[in-house]
Amino acid sequence: MRLTNELLEQMPLDELKNFKTPEYDRVKVKEKTLREPTWLQLGAGNIFRAFLATHQQQLLNQGMEDTGIIVAEGYDYEIVDILKTYDELTINVLLHSDGSVEKEIVGSIVDYLKMDRNSQDFDRLKEIFRAPSLQMVSLTITEKGYSLSNSAKAYFPSVLSDFTNGPDKAESYLGKLVALMHERFLANATPLALVSMDNMSHNGEKLQTAVLTYAEKWLENDLVSPEFVDYLKEKVTFPWSMIDKITPRPDVTVQHLFEEAGLEAMSPCETEKHSFVAPYVNGEETEYLVIEDLFPNGRPKLEKTGIQFTDRGTVNKVETMKVTTCLNPLHTCLAIFGCLLDYHSIHSEMKDNELRELVKILGYHEGLPVVVDPVILDPKQFLDEVIEKRLPNIFIPDTPQRIATDTSQKLAVRFGETVKAYISSDDLNVNELKVIPLVFAGWLRYLTGINDFGEPFKVSPDPLLEELNLSVGFEFGAEAIDPTLLSLLSDKKIFGVDLVSVGLSDKVISLYQAMGTEVGAIRQTIRNVINEKN
């Protein structure tokens, strides 16, 4: 048996008893969605399929919505080719901390399209954007998807090319999105919400800045009218959001559950662009989504499924709490030192008393003193749940190697904001920080590609790897400091602050040198920091 529409139509109910299944007519939902699309999602990744698609299914099951979601993938087209072979069906697997497993066949996605300008899919996307019924376009394209320039603030070549060529020939991811918005403007200029649901602070603001940059450059080059820029500023909204759910790569142990149930072709695939995709997604039971309620053309009734809609200030407080103190910094800390100490799961790291103590100091002692209470979520309770329940969950097969991806794009927000808060505080001293400088030094040590046992390891993908290139010439015990490293510490785009000017660079360099003296020095440095803090 293969996960297809035929399975749902012909598989006996007793064989599907261990699966939740769609409680609506998928054929009718698909027909209505293709005729009157309301929700387009950009990015076919795990967080969308394991979270957003399941909430829309709840609304469909309850008869509160009658349209599904159309998904467009703009980075890895191979994902579309794979997922379409399963008739757009996905199995969502909730891995509860008590060991129980909950499986649901999700059918709320009605189509997958490629944002390939040379395909018929792109013509279909133009039709969708022209549709007055379209209420929102959500995005989960990762943090780096919003960057238009490199660390030197120079626009990427593809972005510069789009500025010159205009909406009819735009080829970059966001360039195509703005080009499609131009189609909507020309057709009817109907309002629309563009909603970033990526895991980063001020995500709506970052998306708005990128979109307006394209439009204003095109206006400068006389490629669009002033009215188009006015349309984006006056009738298009960019709600901020905070999303939180751990959805690691498809796990083979979950695959075996399906194979035991008689399902075929469930193996995860790695695409040429190194995306891991399967007809199922696995994730933790805990999930949060808080969205600024700013939808000028309507929206799904997602508040009925537990998603919270509020004002921008509250979203910002929740996001800041999570990203800068209560979750993301802990994740990045475990990712860096997990790779350096040769761990391959987050939950196993939480059994390491020293790493566990390290993230507790990071969260409770360095983060909570500067957190802003968002009221709708209690920071201490959130942090307690992260440390005691979520990170140690042995049924979440998340890896430090996955989380270490694109770390250069994450440090500024996940740690730099806390450093800034210490600098501006009348009661706190930035020199009291111990673990955050250790994380910065640990990342530099990580970039050498040599672990604490003297063995080489594969550094996770990062847009600045070639530029940083600290792996060249690394030797244990070397006293000289690479000039590249010294200049790097002043880079506000990476660290959020100039570590030299705020007085933390010497501490970071000292810790970096300590971790490079000999085999085992990373572990010993961690112990020293813990002992110093305690």
Side-chain angles (χ1 to χ4, degrees), residues 196-257:
S196 170
M197 295 185 185
D198 276 297
N199 182 14
M200 60 182 181
S201 295
H202 298 190
N203 48 17
E205 182 179 54
K206 289 180 172 63
L207 175 58
Q208 182 178 28
T209 298
V211 167
L212 290 178
T213 297
Y214 277 94
E216 288 167 351
K217 291 293 184 182
W218 287 343
L219 178 60
E220 289 176 12
N221 293 327
D222 201 27
L223 296 167
V224 297
S225 67
E227 289 76 17
F228 174 57
V229 178
D230 293 340
Y231 163 70
L232 293 176
K233 291 180 177 179
E234 298 169 5
K235 300 181 73 174
V236 178
T237 61
F238 301 83
W240 294 18
S241 70
M242 187 287 289
I243 191 166
D244 182 22
K245 183 181 178 72
I246 299 174
T247 54
R249 290 173 181 169
D251 186 70
V252 292
T253 58
V254 175
Q255 171 193 335
H256 296 330
L257 293 176

Side-chain angles (χ1 to χ4, degrees), residues 9 29 120 169 236 332 367 377 500:
E9 295 166 358
V29 167
Q120 292 182 345
K169 297 180 180 179
V236 178
T332 294
L377 292 176
V500 176

Side-chain angles (χ1 to χ4, degrees), residues 365-366 368-371 418-433 533:
H365 296 283
E366 298 191 356
L368 278 186
V370 296
V371 75
T418 295
V419 174
K420 291 176 185 177
Y422 271 76
I423 293 171
S424 61
S425 172
D426 294 330
D427 303 317
L428 300 169
N429 187 333
V430 71
N431 291 315
E432 296 173 353
L433 294 172
K533 189 67 180 180

